[in-house]
Every structure is written in C-alpha cells, then in structure tokens.
Amino acid sequence: GQNIDQPTEMTATEGAIVQINCTYQTSGFNGLFWYQQHAGEAPTFLSYNVLDGLEEKGRFSSFLSRSKGYSYLLLKELQMKDSASYLCAVKDSNYQLIWGAGTKLIIKP
Amino acid sequence: DAMVIQNPRYQVTQFGKPVTLSCSQTLNHNVMYWYQQKSSQAPKLLFHYYDKDFNNEADTPDNFQSRRPNTSFCFLDIRSPGLGDAAMYLCATSREGSGANVLTFGAGSRLTVL
C-alpha cells in the first residue's frame, strides 16, 4: 500500500527553528508537496520538490531525497502565526496525490 | 482576485436530510476536486473532474454524488447524511499540464449532522 508518515504533533519556541519530517512509500514519484493548514481553514500551498535537494522560500525550506523516500520542511524564526498543521503529499506514478495526516505544530512564546 | 469559493461555509443538517455544497472558481483551472477531511486526518479524495470527465474514487460511498454543470462550478450532493459524514468538505482546483499542478483550495464547508 501507499503510505505517508509524519509526526502527529511537535512543539517549538517562538524565534526558534523546527524541522518536520515526512517519509513516504508510494508506487512511483512525481513530486512532493507541503501545505499549511490553520485550524478550521483550508490547506495553502507552501512548497514543491521534484528533484533532490533543498528549495528555499523565505523562512521556509523544503528538502527532498528520492532515494530515501524522505523530505523535511524547515521553518526558521518561528512566529506564533506558524502554529498550524503541516501536510506532506506525494504525487504517485498515476499522478494521484497521496496525503499524510499532517503534523500539528504548536508554537510557545 | 482569482479564487475558489465554497458555499455555505457552515451547514447543519439532520440525519438523512439531503445537503448540497457548492464550489465556484475564477482561476480557469480544468480540474476540480472534492475532498472530505475529518479532524486530524488527511484529506480524502471523493471525486475529481478532469475537464468534463468525472472520476469517482473506488471507496466513495454512493451517498455522495457530484455535478459540474460548467467549468466554473461544481456541486457535492450528500443524499442521506449520516453522523459519520460530519466533516470539512474541501473543494480544490488545479491546472493539469502546468508543471507542479498545485492545488488551490476553497475555504471549505463544515458539515454538522444532528
């Protein structure tokens, strides 16, 4: 079966750095996405990786290793507004999007 | 601003009473999706339309139906809602053939079943 694993919940301090990991086992690979979802709201797109390496976008960076089936989302200079769930999703060989259950990130002052 | 709009944002219904949720988009995207998301769970794809072609997920209950009368609008009909259908329903769009095919979501319709 196809599977996306991410931690259920993480806690970090305002101003710090946090890394949210995602491992996947899918039938084929056509890209990995990270979405942010605030409580009670819709997901919003953060990043896309299709080649190995690091993609940086402001305070957020996303890394991919296809050989390891692994990605992480790195959030720097954490702000209270970063408290949200972070969803990892992989597009498989049929271009179907397989979603993880999300990591709830709690930011403390 | 181009966007995806869902109505209503909150819907309360009684057990077995039909519900229709709507989605409209001004992005001119050719693919529209309906997802069901329960608390702390991954979004679950119910159906999607690729242009006019309707694609039903194998495990989507018959209780759920969808219509796309034109490229801008899409409806989700729940014929006889049960308590287990209480969830957030998310409409999303994408433009296939545009590289990453990023999904743009509407704000969601939260369904409560009494």
Side-chain angles (χ1 to χ4, degrees):
Chain A
Q2 307 203 87
N3 196 47
I4 308 282
D5 286 315
Q6 22 178 164
T8 303
E9 186 174 298
M10 299 181 70
T11 302
T13 304
E14 190 176 15
I17 298 172
V18 71
Q19 177 174 313
I20 302 174
N21 295 326
C22 169
T23 57
Y24 62 90
Q25 300 90 37
T26 57
S27 55
F29 177 85
N30 279 297
L32 183 144
F33 300 80
W34 284 96
Y35 283 81
Q36 180 191 59
Q37 187 175 26
H38 285 99
E41 298 182 13
T44 55
F45 170 73
L46 286 178
S47 69
Y48 171 70
N49 294 71
V50 67
L51 299 175
D52 290 349
L54 189 68
E55 293 281 342
E56 297 187 78
K57 195 184 287 187
R59 294 189 298 116
F60 293 7
S61 303
S62 57
F63 171 83
L64 174 67
S65 169
R66 288 172 296 171
S67 62
K68 295 181 179 177
Y70 167 70
S71 173
Y72 66 73
L73 180 69
L74 192 71
L75 292 78
K76 302 176 186 175
E77 301 169 16
L78 285 170
Q79 302 175 9
M80 297 303 292
K81 68 178 182 179
D82 297 330
S83 292
S85 287
Y86 292 85
L87 296 158
C88 175
V90 172
K91 197 163 271 193
D92 69 9
S93 57
N94 293 321
Y95 295 90
Q96 299 298 310
L97 203 54
I98 312 301
W99 292 86
T103 298
K104 183 178 181 181
L105 178 63
I106 299 168
I107 310 295
K108 295 185 174 179
Chain B
D1 286 341
M3 57 179 60
V4 181
I5 299 170
Q6 291 188 242
N7 283 298
R9 290 291 311 279
Y10 301 93
Q11 176 73 60
V12 179
T13 190
Q14 292 179 331
F15 185 95
K17 187 172 181 181
V19 161
T20 295
L21 307 177
S22 74
C23 177
S24 64
Q25 57 124 343
T26 59
L27 297 162
N28 200 29
H29 283 174
N30 58 336
V31 190
M32 294 185 79
Y33 309 79
W34 279 107
Y35 281 92
Q36 179 194 64
Q37 188 181 28
K38 298 185 178 181
S39 182
S40 301
Q41 295 185 20
K44 178 182 183 299
L45 183 63
L46 296 173
F47 342 81
H48 75 277
Y49 287 89
Y50 191 117
D51 293 321
K52 294 182 180 180
D53 294 334
F54 175 70
N55 298 274
N56 193 29
E57 294 302 298
D59 58 353
T60 298
D62 292 340
N63 195 26
F64 292 83
Q65 303 286 319
S66 183
R67 298 168 280 139
R68 189 181 186 187
N70 56 54
T71 55
S72 300
F73 285 88
C74 197
F75 298 94
L76 173 62
D77 301 307
I78 309 175
R79 293 192 294 187
S80 182
L83 298 178
D85 296 327
M88 175 77 91
Y89 290 88
L90 295 165
C91 175
T93 69
S94 71
R95 171 154 290 285
E96 292 296 306
S98 61
N101 305 130
V102 172
L103 295 185
T104 301
F105 285 87
S109 293
R110 181 166 293 283
L111 177 66
T112 300
V113 182
L114 301 177

